[in-house]
Amino acid sequence: MALLISSCLTACTTDKAALGKAYADKAKAGLVEEALTAASRAVSDARRMPDYPPECRRHHRSGVKLGDKLGVANKKADIALGNANSQIDACAGWYDGTKAAREPK
């Protein structure tokens, strides 16, 4: 009888220790899963493109009016075109830099 009680206590202790380890392993696995989810969310947020700058949506007009001399009209149109091209270059540079920072390496 004493032997039976002794072996049961040993076996019961071993089962409790194994059960405790299993619970600890499960908790660690849960933490890893949470960390992976959080890391995935952070990567997704970091790669999300920011809003397009409002100045990149601006339109340009030449300001040419009926009756402007040809030289004046040409100068106004050339200035407006130069401004539009500068804006396009600046916005393209912003976009390229922003996209490169978010693309996987």
Side-chain angles (χ1 to χ4, degrees):
M1 178 77 172
L3 179 61
L4 181 61
I5 292 173
S6 174
S7 68
C8 179
L9 289 177
T10 306
C12 293
T13 304
T14 305
D15 289 342
K16 285 183 182 179
L19 187 59
K21 183 180 180 323
Y23 282 133
D25 290 347
K26 184 177 178 181
K28 288 178 188 174
L31 290 175
V32 168
E33 185 66 34
E34 286 177 31
L36 287 173
T37 300
S40 178
R41 191 177 312 116
V43 167
S44 177
D45 289 345
R47 293 189 64 208
R48 184 175 295 124
M49 289 291 287
D51 291 338
Y52 200 60
E55 56 273 5
C56 289
R57 297 184 187 279
R58 188 169 38 110
H59 292 182
H60 297 270
R61 308 267 186 272
S62 68
V64 175
K65 295 182 176 111
L66 188 62
D68 280 349
K69 292 185 178 182
L70 185 58
V72 172
N74 189 40
K75 187 68 173 174
K76 286 180 178 180
D78 195 41
I79 290 170
L81 184 59
N83 290 339
N85 286 335
S86 293
Q87 176 183 323
I88 290 169
D89 291 343
C91 294
W94 171 86
Y95 180 84
D96 291 343
T98 303
K99 183 181 177 189
R102 283 161 174 70
E103 288 297 311
K105 306 297 183 238

